[in-house]
Amino acid sequence: MVLMSLSRPWTTTWLPLPTNAIMTPTHLGPAEHLFSAEEVETAIQRMAVAINKDLEHLSPQRPVVLLCVLTGAVVVVGQLMPQLHFPLVLDCVQVGRYGAETSGGTLQWRTRPKEPLAGAVVLLVDDILDEGVTLQALQEYCKAEGAAAIHTAVMVRKVRPRAIDVQVDYVGLEVPDRFVFGYGLDARGLGRNAPGIFVLPEDG
Ligand code: IMP
Ligand code: MG
């Protein structure tokens, strides 16, 4: 367990702390440690086992297209990928949402997939399922591009009511309906390198 101090200009200090201590990143405000790095790694291993079970029987003639949803999914994809035992090509997508009034999955594209998706089995990997708008819109995009099958994995799923019934096949961990960061997830751009999953205070 460590104490992480985030302060501008982008300095990070790591100090030893007893197990189960409350984290106090000075830039992000106090934060609580929800899952340790070991717990997240174990959850990612479990996801890899389930994904292998579903996908490793596929023909090596057509590799699976693993779509990493930038930026937050880089850590989970980096850990997941070496544990997958089937031919795959890695590609990335990056999207944003237009604004608070956005509804119905309108995406602003920053990076589209470079791999052709027509006829491909796609494994879409994101950091978190919140409202589900992003993942549902990405699934729709893959379908529209002619993907043969779409499997979706998220490192964490928020336990919350969801207006959108988005299908997610593999879930690492569940978190309360609070703002979380760490393991790729950011809070105001910071905290992606935090070693585990942390939660900001209610007003954070
Ligand atoms: P959705 O479209 O509401 O499901 O939002 C998904 C995206 O919002 C994720 O890919 C994250 O980038 C971001 N997001 C939602 N909740 C959190 C959070 O608690 N921490 C960090 N990012 C989040
Ligand atoms: Mg994201």
Side-chain angles (χ1 to χ4, degrees):
M1 180 72 69
V2 288
L3 169 69
M4 188 173 66
S5 161
L6 292 172
S7 56
R8 292 188 192 276
W10 314 104
T11 54
T12 305
T13 315
W14 305 91
L15 302 168
L17 259 195
T19 308
N20 298 329
I22 299 297
M23 305 293 286
T24 311
T26 56
H27 180 67
L28 294 174
E32 189 184 327
H33 207 168
L34 275 187
F35 294 105
S36 67
E38 292 72 23
E39 287 169 315
V40 185
E41 277 164 29
T42 303
I44 294 171
Q45 274 166 22
R46 279 199 303 266
M47 288 168 73
V49 169
I51 294 169
N52 280 326
K53 199 160 160 256
D54 290 348
L55 301 187
E56 68 188 349
H57 64 276
L58 295 175
S59 155
Q61 265 68 52
R62 183 74 200 255
V64 169
V65 178
L66 195 169
L67 282 185
C68 172
V69 184
L70 296 173
T71 301
V74 289
V75 181
V76 58
V77 167
Q79 290 210 351
L80 190 62
M81 210 168 41
Q83 301 182 59
L84 299 179
H85 305 143
F86 47 82
L88 63 82
V89 288
L90 174 65
D91 203 346
C92 296
V93 288
Q94 190 168 27
V95 292
R97 284 165 59 180
Y98 278 110
E101 70 282 12
T102 299
S103 63
T106 311
L107 291 195
Q108 183 182 28
W109 280 98
R110 299 199 182 105
T111 308
R112 286 180 194 263
K114 287 164 195 70
E115 290 295 325
L117 302 184
V121 173
V122 174
L123 175 61
L124 198 51
V125 183
D126 204 355
D127 50 5
I128 188 165
L129 178 71
D130 185 18
E131 286 178 82
V133 173
T134 308
L135 270 183
Q136 196 196 42
L138 287 172
Q139 288 174 344
E140 291 302 323
Y141 175 85
C142 294
K143 262 187 226 158
E145 290 292 302
I150 304 156
H151 297 253
T152 303
V154 293
M155 180 176 68
V156 291
R157 173 168 64 189
K158 277 192 195 175
V159 178
R160 51 162 292 171
R162 219 164 259 116
I164 295 170
D165 185 22
V166 58
Q167 192 204 323
V168 178
D169 306 294
Y170 314 100
V171 176
L173 295 163
E174 291 199 314
V175 296
D177 189 10
R178 305 263 302 277
F179 203 86
V180 294
F181 69 93
Y183 245 74
L185 288 156
D186 75 302
R188 298 173 216 135
L190 291 172
R192 292 195 196 274
N193 56 328
I197 308 279
F198 299 81
V199 62
L200 285 179
E202 295 284 6
D203 59 355

